[in-house]
Amino acid sequence: MTAWTVTLRGIRYRWGRSLAVLLLATVAVTAAVLAPAYARAAQQSVLLDGLTHASSTSTGLLVGAATPADAAAAPTAGTKLAIANALGRFPTLKAAFGAPVASVEAESLFGDPSDALAARLAYRDGACEHLVVTGACPATEGQVLISDRSARDNKLAAGQQIVLRGKPGKVRALTITGTYTPADPSESYWGRTAYFTAGSPGPDGASTRTDALFAGVEDDVRGLGTDARVRVEYPLKPLALNLDNVAAAREDLKLLGRALPSSGGLQVTSALPGVLDDIVVEQEAVARNVPVVAIPLVLLSLFVLFLLVAAVTEERSPELALAKLRGYPLARAGRFGFAESLVLIVLAAPLGLVCGLLLVRAAAAMVLAPGTAVELSGPVLLTALAAVAGAVLAALGAGWRTLGRPVLALLRRVPDRVKWRATVLEVAAATLAAVALFQAFRDRSSALALVAAPLLALVAGMAVARLLTGYARGSLRRAGRRGRLAALLSAAQLARRPAGHRIVVVLTVAVALLTFAATSWDVAAGARTERARQTMGADRVYTVDIAHPDALVAAVAQADPSGQSMAVVRGQQHYGDGSVELLAVESAKLPAVADWAGHDLKALAGKLRPGAVAPVVVKDRIEVDATVGNLKTEKEKPLRLVAVVSAPGEPPRTVGLGVLVAGGHTYAAALPGCSTGCRLLGLGVSRTPGSTDVFTVDVAVSAVRGADGPIDAGFEADGRWRRLAARAPQAELTVRPGPALTLSVRSGDAGDVIAEHVSAPDTIPAVAVGAVPKGDAFAFPALTDKPQQFGVAARADRLPRAGDRGLLFDLDYAVRSAERTTSLADTDTLRYEVWASPKAPADLGKRLTAAGARVVGSDSVSGTVTRLERLAPALSLRLYLLAGAAAVLLAVGAVLLTAYVGATARLNELAALRLAGVPARTLRRGVLREYRALLGIPLLVGAVTGIGGAALMLPGLQLVSVRDAAGLGDLADAFGPGWLPAALVAVVCGLGLAVAVVLRMFAGASPHRLREGER
């Protein structure tokens, strides 16, 4: 009979043990391949998440003409062909982007020159496919499509002709073929251009915009003779990039610009490299954490296999002794002794590999980004082979110790005593743990510090095993003196079974790993929720595209009359060695909308807006009743009464109301561009240009009227009107409030002498956070490049959506202050958001778009938490959870297998005790006492060690972001409903099930087993 035949027959004869060995070896290989397979899937998930959640303007590829001259000579068909030829040299890059969308755009005016309308005339590939068109889509030259609301507001309809004016002398007559409504204004198809901005100021500041006009052919756009823009946009296909080709795509993107024709004047613009750089940081963090999880788990797997083979070989000690007595050589006897275990371990390799991949695939489906693939990669295969090789070496080492014992010892089956080698290993482990702890207190992020927790668990397990042995020996003597039979039997097993000591180590380490992972996850979950709230600032946040702050406020008021949404304008200014985030909010809505824990938002709103003064608003026309006296000036150069007004988003402009004449008169002027209302910023006196003499005049303004009738200008309020020194610093102006506002002027200055209406405080109250200009009052550029005066009304540690360095202030105050001197329309440095509470309308995004605020992005607290759960720290902690669960599964399997492998001898012992008169109840109590100590103490010590390791390491771990370590805070929060209680309950249930199986197994210990031949 060959050796293989003997081995296979032995596996079949001992099929129960063989199945247990195969299952446990499969679990060990599964645990080994889990880390690299999950790590690769997690890195792919990070890549997909990063590309999917980034805006299309960040990930897309934009190729455009560098100058208007290049655009004039660049037909879109030729441009697309040139780009396609260049992309053909980079197959990976070409496959990563979708079909191109070409566009040609130019600014134009149409309608009455005195009240012109501004429009962006655009040709865009396939525009009608993304519009809901009423009428016909333009298809030939001379045809155009206009939006429904622009047609309605300006009394236009299909069939009418409009004449667009471009450069001087360039006109284009186009026939309206239909009207449109955008199907989805936030769709990535529309790229970086704001096409739907009706109601905002035109590029000249005086005209009003309509929504974009879409031409049927690009020649109509070029025919205006203005500075046309030609662009070709390529949307990214996130699923086309993976871990194997993303590096090549990054390199190709750097070279694409050089591959374009040098004569075409084309420029490549893409923020994709920056997005990929951020993704690489996350991927590297995942890769760094894999060894920290994988090494303890693999070593634990190998140790369990060591215990497994040692127990199986120990059980076959009599057979090995007989083989030696028959004269078998040591190598042949060894093959006979543990060949079965080696064969089963090798067979477990493919099973463990498949199980590991299936487990990671299940995890990917539940927690990773949709579309994440689980691959059988080279590292996974190498890890599986390494695990099998390590398992074989562990098996050989475990079996060789038994094989090397003398024949008499094999026949007597006396357990090994603890030898000096075990003591050396324990001392080495304790020393390494001490070094790791020392390093952890110095730098918790170092590689050695990261393995402090599993090393602590190992040392705790070895210490518990030693203490349990000593305790069992003492209990053995005490139970013998007192005659307590159940305690005597349990103590004898604990004191004399080396396999039990090893189980204590395995179980302690496994429970510590799981409790560390569960505690870390619970604390990190709380940190992610808090970070999401800090990041969001409200339940939902919409990023919108709109012309200026006043338009945003109006759009929010129209979209949500309930007041559960507020307009927010954001900016950023460099200061010192960093930047200061600026948040301008509607203070009155702050308590109802904002989510800012730890702050009395109602009181804070009162500090940010202590007194609200309504602005003076005039529409279409202004009339002023004034009485002029003490008029002294050159006759040839008269004085004029002027008003300073500002349309929403526009810079202030001075409007002449008429020449001042002694006595009471009405002065008036039309206000083009003020159909929706302009703010009256001031009233004053303007001299004729070129005049240099000193003049005096007294002007008593008794009334102000607009197109809607009289306006309360607050003439009687003290301090409501004051001198504006910036216009004429050398002039003398006395402002006296009363039923009529009296302006007494004496000036030789060339500038206008203006009394301004004070509707905003000179110093804007603000909440200051972090390193901002020192002091309680300072000047700082906020909404514009010109400094504005701020006073610190309160201080805080962090600002929602702004971090630990910024200013929070009232939007209305800041806009009124800024627009005294400048325009906020189309300011590139401002970002517009709408914050919404949970009570805000569910369809707020659609309402905002309908109100003219194009929604280009949205987010929520729950969405942010979900996204944070797919960043590197959370993905690494999930791997910790998987590793902890696998470790506990290994430990429970080791408990069952150790009991099962030695079951025959143990059953015979129990049967002999039954025959000697020991009651079955006493034997059962003895077994329960044994396993209560064998499993209960490691469970308690492992849980305490795991939680203690978490308390030690979590303050230095990256729980939320790879860019910072989140502090632990209050550890008690981790003991609430979460993974830690669930993990402990699961471990207790698993160990309880193992004990139940053992008791059921030992229930068959009847005296009949001692009959010859019965097993």
PDB file of all heavy atoms in Angstrom, residues 393-417:
ATOM      1  N   LEU A 393       4.687  25.007   7.228  1.00  0.00           N
ATOM      2  CA  LEU A 393       5.811  25.102   8.171  1.00  0.00           C
ATOM      3  C   LEU A 393       5.319  24.997   9.613  1.00  0.00           C
ATOM      4  O   LEU A 393       5.959  24.345  10.456  1.00  0.00           O
ATOM      5  CB  LEU A 393       6.551  26.420   7.960  1.00  0.00           C
ATOM      6  CG  LEU A 393       7.317  26.566   6.642  1.00  0.00           C
ATOM      7  CD1 LEU A 393       7.908  27.962   6.524  1.00  0.00           C
ATOM      8  CD2 LEU A 393       8.415  25.505   6.541  1.00  0.00           C
ATOM      9  N   ALA A 394       4.182  25.670   9.914  1.00  0.00           N
ATOM     10  CA  ALA A 394       3.635  25.564  11.255  1.00  0.00           C
ATOM     11  C   ALA A 394       3.227  24.139  11.576  1.00  0.00           C
ATOM     12  O   ALA A 394       3.444  23.639  12.693  1.00  0.00           O
ATOM     13  CB  ALA A 394       2.433  26.505  11.397  1.00  0.00           C
ATOM     14  N   ALA A 395       2.639  23.456  10.570  1.00  0.00           N
ATOM     15  CA  ALA A 395       2.232  22.066  10.775  1.00  0.00           C
ATOM     16  C   ALA A 395       3.442  21.171  11.010  1.00  0.00           C
ATOM     17  O   ALA A 395       3.444  20.299  11.896  1.00  0.00           O
ATOM     18  CB  ALA A 395       1.429  21.588   9.569  1.00  0.00           C
ATOM     19  N   LEU A 396       4.475  21.370  10.208  1.00  0.00           N
ATOM     20  CA  LEU A 396       5.702  20.571  10.392  1.00  0.00           C
ATOM     21  C   LEU A 396       6.312  20.841  11.758  1.00  0.00           C
ATOM     22  O   LEU A 396       6.762  19.917  12.452  1.00  0.00           O
ATOM     23  CB  LEU A 396       6.697  20.893   9.284  1.00  0.00           C
ATOM     24  CG  LEU A 396       6.312  20.425   7.877  1.00  0.00           C
ATOM     25  CD1 LEU A 396       7.322  20.934   6.849  1.00  0.00           C
ATOM     26  CD2 LEU A 396       6.213  18.900   7.817  1.00  0.00           C
ATOM     27  N   GLY A 397       6.350  22.112  12.156  1.00  0.00           N
ATOM     28  CA  GLY A 397       6.903  22.425  13.465  1.00  0.00           C
ATOM     29  C   GLY A 397       6.102  21.820  14.592  1.00  0.00           C
ATOM     30  O   GLY A 397       6.668  21.288  15.570  1.00  0.00           O
ATOM     31  N   ALA A 398       4.759  21.863  14.468  1.00  0.00           N
ATOM     32  CA  ALA A 398       3.916  21.297  15.518  1.00  0.00           C
ATOM     33  C   ALA A 398       4.025  19.776  15.568  1.00  0.00           C
ATOM     34  O   ALA A 398       4.107  19.173  16.641  1.00  0.00           O
ATOM     35  CB  ALA A 398       2.460  21.707  15.279  1.00  0.00           C
ATOM     36  N   GLY A 399       4.055  19.127  14.393  1.00  0.00           N
ATOM     37  CA  GLY A 399       4.128  17.664  14.367  1.00  0.00           C
ATOM     38  C   GLY A 399       5.492  17.130  14.746  1.00  0.00           C
ATOM     39  O   GLY A 399       5.616  16.060  15.354  1.00  0.00           O
ATOM     40  N   TRP A 400       6.523  17.906  14.393  1.00  0.00           N
ATOM     41  CA  TRP A 400       7.878  17.401  14.648  1.00  0.00           C
ATOM     42  C   TRP A 400       8.176  17.333  16.141  1.00  0.00           C
ATOM     43  O   TRP A 400       8.919  16.469  16.597  1.00  0.00           O
ATOM     44  CB  TRP A 400       8.893  18.286  13.957  1.00  0.00           C
ATOM     45  CG  TRP A 400      10.197  17.585  13.746  1.00  0.00           C
ATOM     46  CD1 TRP A 400      11.326  17.662  14.487  1.00  0.00           C
ATOM     47  CD2 TRP A 400      10.467  16.656  12.702  1.00  0.00           C
ATOM     48  NE1 TRP A 400      12.305  16.863  13.981  1.00  0.00           N
ATOM     49  CE2 TRP A 400      11.795  16.214  12.862  1.00  0.00           C
ATOM     50  CE3 TRP A 400       9.700  16.155  11.637  1.00  0.00           C
ATOM     51  CZ2 TRP A 400      12.395  15.303  12.018  1.00  0.00           C
ATOM     52  CZ3 TRP A 400      10.296  15.248  10.790  1.00  0.00           C
ATOM     53  CH2 TRP A 400      11.630  14.823  10.972  1.00  0.00           C
ATOM     54  N   ARG A 401       7.563  18.227  16.937  1.00  0.00           N
ATOM     55  CA  ARG A 401       7.765  18.182  18.388  1.00  0.00           C
ATOM     56  C   ARG A 401       7.228  16.885  18.958  1.00  0.00           C
ATOM     57  O   ARG A 401       7.869  16.237  19.799  1.00  0.00           O
ATOM     58  CB  ARG A 401       7.055  19.356  19.054  1.00  0.00           C
ATOM     59  CG  ARG A 401       7.621  20.721  18.713  1.00  0.00           C
ATOM     60  CD  ARG A 401       6.868  21.797  19.448  1.00  0.00           C
ATOM     61  NE  ARG A 401       6.896  21.572  20.878  1.00  0.00           N
ATOM     62  CZ  ARG A 401       6.069  22.174  21.743  1.00  0.00           C
ATOM     63  NH1 ARG A 401       5.164  23.016  21.282  1.00  0.00           N
ATOM     64  NH2 ARG A 401       6.156  21.927  23.038  1.00  0.00           N
ATOM     65  N   THR A 402       6.043  16.465  18.484  1.00  0.00           N
ATOM     66  CA  THR A 402       5.478  15.203  18.967  1.00  0.00           C
ATOM     67  C   THR A 402       6.289  14.022  18.461  1.00  0.00           C
ATOM     68  O   THR A 402       6.564  13.058  19.195  1.00  0.00           O
ATOM     69  CB  THR A 402       4.019  15.078  18.517  1.00  0.00           C
ATOM     70  OG1 THR A 402       3.278  16.199  19.005  1.00  0.00           O
ATOM     71  CG2 THR A 402       3.389  13.801  19.033  1.00  0.00           C
ATOM     72  N   LEU A 403       6.695  14.096  17.205  1.00  0.00           N
ATOM     73  CA  LEU A 403       7.421  12.977  16.601  1.00  0.00           C
ATOM     74  C   LEU A 403       8.771  12.762  17.277  1.00  0.00           C
ATOM     75  O   LEU A 403       9.271  11.629  17.364  1.00  0.00           O
ATOM     76  CB  LEU A 403       7.613  13.254  15.103  1.00  0.00           C
ATOM     77  CG  LEU A 403       8.205  12.124  14.263  1.00  0.00           C
ATOM     78  CD1 LEU A 403       7.275  10.933  14.250  1.00  0.00           C
ATOM     79  CD2 LEU A 403       8.451  12.607  12.836  1.00  0.00           C
ATOM     80  N   GLY A 404       9.368  13.824  17.763  1.00  0.00           N
ATOM     81  CA  GLY A 404      10.691  13.711  18.375  1.00  0.00           C
ATOM     82  C   GLY A 404      10.682  13.183  19.787  1.00  0.00           C
ATOM     83  O   GLY A 404      11.759  12.974  20.376  1.00  0.00           O
ATOM     84  N   ARG A 405       9.534  12.991  20.391  1.00  0.00           N
ATOM     85  CA  ARG A 405       9.478  12.471  21.755  1.00  0.00           C
ATOM     86  C   ARG A 405       9.797  10.986  21.803  1.00  0.00           C
ATOM     87  O   ARG A 405       9.553  10.257  20.830  1.00  0.00           O
ATOM     88  CB  ARG A 405       8.097  12.738  22.349  1.00  0.00           C
ATOM     89  CG  ARG A 405       7.820  14.220  22.575  1.00  0.00           C
ATOM     90  CD  ARG A 405       6.356  14.503  22.750  1.00  0.00           C
ATOM     91  NE  ARG A 405       5.781  13.766  23.868  1.00  0.00           N
ATOM     92  CZ  ARG A 405       4.471  13.673  24.099  1.00  0.00           C
ATOM     93  NH1 ARG A 405       3.615  14.250  23.264  1.00  0.00           N
ATOM     94  NH2 ARG A 405       4.035  12.994  25.136  1.00  0.00           N
ATOM     95  N   PRO A 406      10.290  10.462  22.933  1.00  0.00           N
ATOM     96  CA  PRO A 406      10.581   9.025  23.049  1.00  0.00           C
ATOM     97  C   PRO A 406       9.325   8.178  22.924  1.00  0.00           C
ATOM     98  O   PRO A 406       8.202   8.658  23.144  1.00  0.00           O
ATOM     99  CB  PRO A 406      11.198   8.914  24.454  1.00  0.00           C
ATOM    100  CG  PRO A 406      11.631  10.294  24.805  1.00  0.00           C
ATOM    101  CD  PRO A 406      10.682  11.220  24.110  1.00  0.00           C
ATOM    102  N   VAL A 407       9.537   6.887  22.597  1.00  0.00           N
ATOM    103  CA  VAL A 407       8.401   5.981  22.398  1.00  0.00           C
ATOM    104  C   VAL A 407       7.563   5.864  23.660  1.00  0.00           C
ATOM    105  O   VAL A 407       6.335   5.863  23.612  1.00  0.00           O
ATOM    106  CB  VAL A 407       8.914   4.595  21.939  1.00  0.00           C
ATOM    107  CG1 VAL A 407       7.762   3.571  21.901  1.00  0.00           C
ATOM    108  CG2 VAL A 407       9.572   4.687  20.586  1.00  0.00           C
ATOM    109  N   LEU A 408       8.234   5.746  24.820  1.00  0.00           N
ATOM    110  CA  LEU A 408       7.495   5.585  26.071  1.00  0.00           C
ATOM    111  C   LEU A 408       6.620   6.793  26.360  1.00  0.00           C
ATOM    112  O   LEU A 408       5.472   6.664  26.801  1.00  0.00           O
ATOM    113  CB  LEU A 408       8.481   5.358  27.226  1.00  0.00           C
ATOM    114  CG  LEU A 408       7.842   5.046  28.590  1.00  0.00           C
ATOM    115  CD1 LEU A 408       6.986   3.786  28.495  1.00  0.00           C
ATOM    116  CD2 LEU A 408       8.918   4.886  29.671  1.00  0.00           C
ATOM    117  N   ALA A 409       7.151   7.985  26.078  1.00  0.00           N
ATOM    118  CA  ALA A 409       6.350   9.204  26.293  1.00  0.00           C
ATOM    119  C   ALA A 409       5.159   9.253  25.350  1.00  0.00           C
ATOM    120  O   ALA A 409       4.081   9.712  25.719  1.00  0.00           O
ATOM    121  CB  ALA A 409       7.218  10.436  26.113  1.00  0.00           C
ATOM    122  N   LEU A 410       5.379   8.762  24.104  1.00  0.00           N
ATOM    123  CA  LEU A 410       4.255   8.733  23.156  1.00  0.00           C
ATOM    124  C   LEU A 410       3.170   7.776  23.618  1.00  0.00           C
ATOM    125  O   LEU A 410       1.977   8.052  23.479  1.00  0.00           O
ATOM    126  CB  LEU A 410       4.759   8.343  21.768  1.00  0.00           C
ATOM    127  CG  LEU A 410       5.624   9.366  21.029  1.00  0.00           C
ATOM    128  CD1 LEU A 410       6.183   8.761  19.752  1.00  0.00           C
ATOM    129  CD2 LEU A 410       4.823  10.616  20.699  1.00  0.00           C
ATOM    130  N   LEU A 411       3.572   6.627  24.171  1.00  0.00           N
ATOM    131  CA  LEU A 411       2.585   5.653  24.610  1.00  0.00           C
ATOM    132  C   LEU A 411       1.848   6.125  25.868  1.00  0.00           C
ATOM    133  O   LEU A 411       0.654   5.888  26.010  1.00  0.00           O
ATOM    134  CB  LEU A 411       3.276   4.312  24.879  1.00  0.00           C
ATOM    135  CG  LEU A 411       3.785   3.573  23.626  1.00  0.00           C
ATOM    136  CD1 LEU A 411       4.589   2.345  24.026  1.00  0.00           C
ATOM    137  CD2 LEU A 411       2.616   3.171  22.736  1.00  0.00           C
ATOM    138  N   ARG A 412       2.583   6.828  26.748  1.00  0.00           N
ATOM    139  CA  ARG A 412       1.957   7.310  27.975  1.00  0.00           C
ATOM    140  C   ARG A 412       1.104   8.550  27.723  1.00  0.00           C
ATOM    141  O   ARG A 412       0.235   8.891  28.512  1.00  0.00           O
ATOM    142  CB  ARG A 412       3.031   7.646  29.011  1.00  0.00           C
ATOM    143  CG  ARG A 412       3.742   6.421  29.559  1.00  0.00           C
ATOM    144  CD  ARG A 412       4.835   6.850  30.498  1.00  0.00           C
ATOM    145  NE  ARG A 412       4.282   7.610  31.619  1.00  0.00           N
ATOM    146  CZ  ARG A 412       5.001   8.375  32.435  1.00  0.00           C
ATOM    147  NH1 ARG A 412       6.296   8.477  32.229  1.00  0.00           N
ATOM    148  NH2 ARG A 412       4.443   9.015  33.430  1.00  0.00           N
ATOM    149  N   ARG A 413       1.406   9.261  26.658  1.00  0.00           N
ATOM    150  CA  ARG A 413       0.658  10.464  26.277  1.00  0.00           C
ATOM    151  C   ARG A 413       0.666  11.493  27.398  1.00  0.00           C
ATOM    152  O   ARG A 413      -0.346  12.046  27.781  1.00  0.00           O
ATOM    153  CB  ARG A 413      -0.765  10.120  25.879  1.00  0.00           C
ATOM    154  CG  ARG A 413      -0.858   9.080  24.790  1.00  0.00           C
ATOM    155  CD  ARG A 413      -2.254   8.650  24.499  1.00  0.00           C
ATOM    156  NE  ARG A 413      -3.041   9.703  23.904  1.00  0.00           N
ATOM    157  CZ  ARG A 413      -4.322   9.572  23.548  1.00  0.00           C
ATOM    158  NH1 ARG A 413      -4.926   8.412  23.703  1.00  0.00           N
ATOM    159  NH2 ARG A 413      -4.972  10.576  23.022  1.00  0.00           N
ATOM    160  N   VAL A 414       1.879  11.746  27.900  1.00  0.00           N
ATOM    161  CA  VAL A 414       2.033  12.732  28.954  1.00  0.00           C
ATOM    162  C   VAL A 414       2.191  14.112  28.306  1.00  0.00           C
ATOM    163  O   VAL A 414       3.044  14.280  27.424  1.00  0.00           O
ATOM    164  CB  VAL A 414       3.268  12.406  29.817  1.00  0.00           C
ATOM    165  CG1 VAL A 414       3.451  13.490  30.886  1.00  0.00           C
ATOM    166  CG2 VAL A 414       3.109  11.031  30.464  1.00  0.00           C
ATOM    167  N   PRO A 415       1.403  15.116  28.700  1.00  0.00           N
ATOM    168  CA  PRO A 415       1.522  16.458  28.095  1.00  0.00           C
ATOM    169  C   PRO A 415       2.892  17.060  28.332  1.00  0.00           C
ATOM    170  O   PRO A 415       3.535  16.811  29.358  1.00  0.00           O
ATOM    171  CB  PRO A 415       0.430  17.262  28.799  1.00  0.00           C
ATOM    172  CG  PRO A 415      -0.514  16.252  29.357  1.00  0.00           C
ATOM    173  CD  PRO A 415       0.306  15.045  29.697  1.00  0.00           C
ATOM    174  N   ASP A 416       3.350  17.849  27.358  1.00  0.00           N
ATOM    175  CA  ASP A 416       4.631  18.548  27.494  1.00  0.00           C
ATOM    176  C   ASP A 416       4.575  19.575  28.614  1.00  0.00           C
ATOM    177  O   ASP A 416       3.556  20.226  28.842  1.00  0.00           O
ATOM    178  CB  ASP A 416       4.991  19.269  26.188  1.00  0.00           C
ATOM    179  CG  ASP A 416       5.476  18.265  25.150  1.00  0.00           C
ATOM    180  OD1 ASP A 416       5.912  17.179  25.546  1.00  0.00           O
ATOM    181  OD2 ASP A 416       5.398  18.603  23.947  1.00  0.00           O
ATOM    182  N   ARG A 417       5.688  19.706  29.298  1.00  0.00           N
ATOM    183  CA  ARG A 417       5.832  20.783  30.264  1.00  0.00           C
ATOM    184  C   ARG A 417       6.274  22.058  29.543  1.00  0.00           C
ATOM    185  O   ARG A 417       6.865  21.999  28.459  1.00  0.00           O
ATOM    186  CB  ARG A 417       6.875  20.396  31.320  1.00  0.00           C
ATOM    187  CG  ARG A 417       6.503  19.152  32.120  1.00  0.00           C
ATOM    188  CD  ARG A 417       5.278  19.385  32.956  1.00  0.00           C
ATOM    189  NE  ARG A 417       4.929  18.211  33.748  1.00  0.00           N
ATOM    190  CZ  ARG A 417       3.829  18.116  34.493  1.00  0.00           C
ATOM    191  NH1 ARG A 417       2.959  19.113  34.491  1.00  0.00           N
ATOM    192  NH2 ARG A 417       3.586  17.034  35.199  1.00  0.00           N
TER     193      ARG A 417
END
